Amino acid sequence: MEKKLLSIGLLTGVLNGMLGGGAGMLCVPLLRNQFLDEKKAHAYTVSTVLAASIISAFIYLIHGQMDWTMSWRYLLGGVLSAPIGVFLLKKAKPSFIRKSFAVFMIYCAVRIFVNA
């Protein structure tokens, strides 16, 4: 199981560098397949994507591909609203989380397909 978890982390890191936080959309189902319950899979995904995002952001920053004058606005919104998401995750039933996540993935897929 350790090798599988390491592989999930490696794949999430690579995809995070390429796709941003969207790597979490793959990490959650992979962690669920490792017998983690829904809430733990989401929590571990957030920590994995956070670590990978910090490294990715640093690399983008040193290569001049990130503009802090623009990004601080949405970063502030994300930091301030994240506790709300954690609170809602604690209250939600696992089946609701799973179905909501699936609907969100379908929505994103359709948007990507239409705009490609």
Side-chain angles (χ1 to χ4, degrees), residues 54-115:
I54 289 170
I55 299 300
S56 297
F58 178 74
I59 293 169
Y60 285 129
L61 182 64
I62 63 173
H63 286 98
Q65 296 174 327
M66 188 185 317
D67 178 8
W68 283 108
T69 59
M70 184 181 89
S71 61
W72 72 267
R73 294 176 187 108
Y74 57 83
L75 289 171
L76 180 62
V79 167
L80 293 175
S81 64
I84 297 168
V86 172
F87 174 78
L88 293 173
L89 180 65
K90 286 183 190 178
K91 299 291 182 186
K93 292 181 181 180
S95 62
F96 175 77
I97 297 167
R98 206 169 18 260
K99 289 174 185 172
S100 298
F101 189 67
V103 168
F104 181 66
M105 288 178 68
I106 292 167
Y107 167 77
C108 290
V110 169
R111 289 231 13 184
I112 290 169
F113 183 75
V114 168
N115 293 318

Side-chain angles (χ1 to χ4, degrees), residues 9-92:
L10 290 170
L11 181 60
T12 301
V14 169
L15 290 175
N16 189 81
M18 293 172 53
L19 308 174
M25 295 182 91
L26 179 65
C27 190
V28 169
L30 290 174
L31 288 175
R32 284 276 300 129
N33 286 339
Q34 295 305 306
F35 308 107
L36 289 177
D37 69 51
E38 195 71 34
K39 293 179 182 184
K40 284 184 181 177
H42 282 268
Y44 289 143
T45 294
V46 168
S47 63
T48 303
V49 170
L50 171 65
S53 292
I54 289 170
I55 299 300
S56 297
F58 178 74
I59 293 169
Y60 285 129
L61 182 64
I62 63 173
H63 286 98
Q65 296 174 327
M66 188 185 317
D67 178 8
W68 283 108
T69 59
M70 184 181 89
S71 61
W72 72 267
R73 294 176 187 108
Y74 57 83
L75 289 171
L76 180 62
V79 167
L80 293 175
S81 64
I84 297 168
V86 172
F87 174 78
L88 293 173
L89 180 65
K90 286 183 190 178
K91 299 291 182 186

